[in-house]
Amino acid sequence: MRPIGVFGGTFDPIHYGHLRSAFEMLQALDFEEVRFIPCGDPPHRGVTFANAEQRYRLVECAIDRQEGFVADDRELRRDGPSYTIDTLISLRKEFPERSLGLIIGMDAFLGLPGWHRWDDLLDVAHIVVAHRPGWKAPDIGVLGEMITEYGTHKVDDLHVMTSGRIHIHAVTQLEISSTEIRDLVAAGRDPRFLMPDAVRDEILKTGVYKGD
Ligand code: ATP
C-alpha cells in the first residue's frame, strides 16, 4: 500500500505553485494519491477571501481528471478551527495501516512550532517538506534538532513506516502566490496561466476576489 500525501492549505485560490509541487511529490515519492484539503477555518490566517465552499470548489476544478489527485472536504465538515493534527487523526482512523505524508512548503515548515500540538504530528504522519532547490534546511533550533533526529533522504522509509520521518524534497519552485492572484483579479486583470483554465473560469464566473 503506497503512502497518501496530505496537502492542506487555505488555497485562496489554488494555483500552479501548489499543483506542480503536489504532482512532483506524487510522482517522485510514488504516492498512491495526494489529497488536497482546504482548511475550513484557518487558525493562523484569520479571514479568507473566498469562503470555504468556494475554495473547495476551486480545488475541485483544479484537480479535475488528474489521476491520483483527490479533493477532500473533511475540514469543511468540522466545526471550530481547522487544526492539522485533527485532520491527520481523522485520516489515521480512516486508513489505520497506511503511510501518511503531510506535504508542506518550507515556509510553512519554518512556522511549525506555532502549530497546535505540533510535536504530535510525527506520531500520526510523516512530514514531507517541499523545498526550493538550492535552499538550506534549518540545522539549528528545535526544527534543526527534529531534522537531525527524524530526517531521512530515503523515499523507501516513507513507504516502510507509516509515520515518524521528515523528508525534504526539492520541487520546481514557481513564484506564484494566492495573494498576488487575488490582487490581480481585484484590479480587473486576468489571472490566466497562473492556474488551470477551469479555476480561472470559475473565479471570473463567480466574481469571487473581485473586491468591492
Ligand atoms: P497566500 O499568498 O495567500 O499566502 P499561499 O499560496 O502561500 O497563499 P496556502 O494556500 O495556504 O498559501 O499554501 C498551502 C501550502 O502550499 C503551504 O504549505 C505553502 O507552503 C505551499 N505553497 C504556497 N505557494 C506555493 C508555491 N508557489 N509553490 C509551492 N508551494 C507553495
Side-chain angles (χ1 to χ4, degrees):
M1 279 196 295
R2 287 138 76 215
I4 294 176
V6 180
F7 193 15
T10 44
F11 300 129
D12 193 15
I14 190 164
H15 54 66
Y16 277 138
H18 303 125
L19 290 161
R20 182 67 207 173
S21 296
F23 188 60
E24 290 185 14
M25 295 280 191
L26 179 74
Q27 297 206 308
L29 307 181
D30 194 25
F31 282 176
E32 174 83 26
E33 61 183 40
V34 172
R35 288 186 168 237
F36 292 79
I37 311 186
C39 58
D41 176 10
H44 299 107
R45 298 283 295 259
V47 294
T48 57
F49 295 82
N51 66 38
E53 283 72 25
Q54 288 169 320
R55 289 181 287 108
Y56 180 74
R57 174 75 196 126
L58 294 175
V59 167
E60 282 185 319
C61 293
I63 66 175
D64 183 38
R65 291 196 304 273
Q66 173 54 54
E67 197 183 329
F69 276 8
V70 175
D72 183 320
D73 67 354
R74 74 187 58 224
E75 291 196 1
L76 275 58
R77 289 186 271 108
R78 210 165 63 216
D79 287 333
S82 301
Y83 292 122
T84 300
I85 185 70
D86 296 333
T87 302
L88 292 175
I89 289 170
S90 105
L91 282 161
R92 175 54 72 215
K93 282 192 184 130
E94 199 172 320
F95 304 101
E97 312 277 311
R98 189 72 85 124
S99 169
L100 298 175
L102 175 68
I103 298 172
I104 55 178
M106 184 54 89
D107 57 325
F109 181 70
L110 295 176
L112 203 69
W115 291 20
H116 179 62
R117 292 180 56 193
W118 73 283
D119 44 0
D120 292 335
L121 295 171
L122 284 177
D123 292 338
V124 196
H126 302 295
I127 298 178
V128 182
V129 186
H131 197 31
R132 206 177 285 246
W135 277 43
K136 213 166 156 298
D139 54 5
I140 52 165
V142 275
L143 292 175
E145 283 165 23
M146 208 172 151
I147 291 174
T148 307
E149 192 160 352
Y150 303 107
T152 180
H153 296 295
K154 289 194 267 170
V155 172
D156 252 15
D157 286 347
L158 307 177
H159 287 248
V160 172
M161 300 165 66
T162 57
S163 63
R165 306 310 296 262
I166 300 174
H167 179 73
I168 298 178
H169 185 78
V171 292
T172 306
Q173 196 71 33
L174 300 173
E175 291 296 339
I176 303 173
S177 80
S178 302
T179 307
E180 175 202 359
I181 291 169
R182 291 193 304 269
D183 290 349
L184 210 81
V185 175
R189 287 164 54 204
D190 193 333
R192 187 164 220 169
F193 305 126
L194 294 173
M195 61 190 67
D197 280 346
V199 179
R200 175 242 183 207
D201 294 348
E202 180 75 9
I203 287 174
L204 297 186
K205 187 179 89 190
T206 56
V208 62
Y209 306 126
K210 239 171 58 191
D212 300 314

